[in-house]
Amino acid sequence: MMDIDQFSKSLEMGIILVDFNASWCAPCRAQEPVIKRLAKTYENRVNILEINIDQNGELATKYRVQSIPTLILFKDGKEMKRFVGLQSESFIIQNLNDVLSS
């Protein structure tokens, strides 16, 4: 479990992709292998955090997560992009590359 202060601090520097999910959510489970591959592909360039909303309800509320999976892409603490629902690997890669090159 991660508290809001720890989470906020982890967002301050660099590019972070946060995956808000839950173990009982079928689309979240389908998204999981994609997230794992991206974590390897973008290692040392993008920090990927997986946040279980059942264990971190306060974070889900703070970031207005209403449906899962929700992916939020941050750069230096600022929300750059948000995607709700199951996303294709190519779509996430395109958006990660856009933020990396900005």
Side-chain angles (χ1 to χ4, degrees):
M1 197 158 116
M2 186 179 287
D3 71 29
I4 287 181
D5 291 337
Q6 290 173 309
F7 183 76
S8 298
K9 199 159 209 52
S10 70
L11 296 180
E12 287 173 6
M13 295 297 293
I15 297 170
I16 295 93
L17 177 65
V18 183
D19 171 20
F20 287 92
N21 62 60
S23 58
W24 47 263
C25 163
C28 299
R29 298 291 59 87
Q31 189 78 76
E32 193 172 21
V34 171
I35 298 298
K36 300 278 187 233
R37 281 193 299 275
L38 293 173
K40 285 188 176 83
T41 302
Y42 286 89
E43 191 174 14
N44 300 321
R45 293 185 293 157
V46 176
N47 189 10
I48 296 180
L49 299 175
E50 293 184 71
I51 301 294
N52 181 308
I53 63 162
D54 291 331
Q55 297 167 358
N56 298 280
E58 228 180 305
L59 284 176
T61 300
K62 179 178 179 183
Y63 288 94
R64 301 174 318 282
V65 174
Q66 297 176 341
S67 297
I68 51 173
T70 291
L71 304 176
I72 306 177
L73 191 51
F74 293 90
K75 183 174 184 177
D76 299 329
K78 181 175 181 262
E79 182 176 326
M80 303 298 285
K81 299 179 182 231
R82 177 183 291 239
F83 316 107
V84 178
L86 184 59
Q87 305 298 320
S88 73
E89 188 166 359
S90 59
F91 179 78
I92 299 169
I93 287 171
Q94 177 187 339
N95 283 281
L96 286 172
N97 291 338
D98 287 350
V99 172
L100 278 165
S101 65
S102 68

